[in-house]
Amino acid sequence: MARQNPVHLNLNVRGLAPSATLAINEKSAWLKSQGLPVYRLGLGQSPFPIPERVVQALRDHAHEKDYLPVSGLKSLREAVAAFNLRTQGLQTNPDYVMIGPGSKELIFLLQLVYYGDLVIPTPSWVSYSPQARIVGRHVYWVPTSPENFWRMSPDQLEKLCRTDPDKPRIAILNYPSNPTGYTYPLDRLKELARVARKYKVILVSDEIYGLLHFRDQHVSVARFYPEGTIVSSGLSKWCGAGGWRLGTFSFPDSLEWLYKAMTIVASETYTSTSAPIQHAAVTAFNGGEDIDAYLHQSRRILRAVVHYATERLREMQVEIPMPQGAFYLFPDFGKYREALAGKEIFTSVELCNRLLEETGVAMLPGYEFGRDPAELTARIALVDFNGEEALRAASADYRDKDIDEAFVRAFAPRLTEAFARMSDWFRSLDCKE
């Protein structure tokens, strides 16, 4: 009998599962391959096509084959700096803009090179905490509540920091939020900035959904704490180019040392981001009337889709405030706890697994976002519709009128069917009032 090779894994990696968002996408694809109906409300991929002018820029630069500078193409870094100024009024030195293969990779590199704890609200995006674990960093989950729109509280951040005022920390603010869709009001941002400055906390303002604020009113916390905030963005959400894998970090001059450390590590890992994609990204970040129109219609459609889904949940007696951006909902199905227990469903993981198996509706359990397993929360990504068709209709027949429920039913039929199946399934539980 042949001897098996011993398994020698880094202790920080042992027991890690694949990213929940990618795992649900793969499971959904497998179920679909078996001929089962699947409604993909799990993976948060933009439903909209990449703007045509940006795609044409990629075609025009497909021949680019040279390695680019580790920190990124100069013209792209200048375009990102101009983008920050145009959209947020932020003064950014292009010399301290870093381009990476997705903002996810840049956030990982930051946690690798900076020796400090990670501070994130619960719930938070699924990869922040596992990345910290991989590099051996401590994670502090800041408690939140649905009454507070699941947002990090300045008082809670202060309470954590004053236990050890000199301890190095990174705090990540992602808003509009994945998984909730909620954002931060100005007074909250100012207070968070005040606390971060007091304790020299480095803030990462993850603004990947910033341009998808439904009223186009996103405000960067970097306006109030410019010397200690890294602004993270990319092409995946507002430009529909998730698979292109291009992210950006904009550093203040005061964090030059951190920027340089990240470029050193990047030079020894991914070398540089794809050359054709960087060239095409210049067009995206430079913007223009066509891209402004694309964003305007995208926001109108998403606002209507999220409103429709919120109303359907309320009809199921699930109380949930209307989000302000992105394409997510984070409902709590605790009202059905007793009835779900009758089906031996006690956790958010069990709830999402059973719902997928019995209705084909795929969503992610709140547990994956840092919530208590027994809490019956889930993230719903409202993206299973043909964004290209919806954009075309919004720009034509609905150009001068509100996008309403009839529009959602006509151009997002899989979403409406998914909510009908979900509603029927919960009603079948015969929940006691």
Side-chain angles (χ1 to χ4, degrees), residues 249-288:
F249 261 20
S250 298
F251 294 80
D253 294 3
S254 55
L255 294 180
E256 175 190 15
W257 56 273
L258 188 52
Y259 160 78
K260 288 183 175 179
M262 284 187 60
T263 60
I264 290 170
V265 176
S267 73
E268 301 291 2
T269 52
Y270 63 79
T271 305
S272 62
T273 305
S274 165
I277 288 172
Q278 286 200 57
H279 282 280
V282 174
T283 297
F285 280 102
N286 278 337

Side-chain angles (χ1 to χ4, degrees), residues 65-116:
K65 69 181 187 65
D66 292 340
Y67 290 113
L68 295 178
V70 174
S71 55
L73 185 69
K74 182 180 179 181
S75 59
L76 176 54
R77 297 161 74 193
E78 292 171 343
V80 171
F83 172 88
N84 291 341
L85 182 62
R86 185 173 70 250
T87 62
Q88 288 299 313
L90 298 176
Q91 295 287 344
T92 305
N93 186 339
D95 290 342
Y96 299 131
V97 172
M98 185 173 182
I99 310 300
S103 57
K104 186 175 187 177
E105 177 68 13
L106 292 175
I107 291 170
F108 176 75
L109 282 189
L110 175 64
Q111 297 197 68
L112 176 66
V113 303
Y114 185 77
Y115 189 74

Side-chain angles (χ1 to χ4, degrees), residues 3 21 33 48 59 63 94 115 135 147 153 176 180 199 232 249 279 301 335 348 354 383 385 400 423:
R3 290 181 60 189
T21 52
S33 73
F48 301 116
R59 295 188 190 103
H63 65 280
Y115 189 74
V135 298
E147 293 76 24
S153 159
T180 69
Y199 294 101
S232 174
F249 261 20
H279 282 280
I301 294 165
K335 169 186 169 52
S348 60
R354 191 72 69 84
V383 295
F385 65 94
D400 298 317
S423 178

Side-chain angles (χ1 to χ4, degrees), residues 6-20:
V7 176
H8 298 298
L9 285 177
N10 184 322
L11 293 178
N12 294 338
V13 175
R14 290 187 184 183
L16 275 181
S19 168

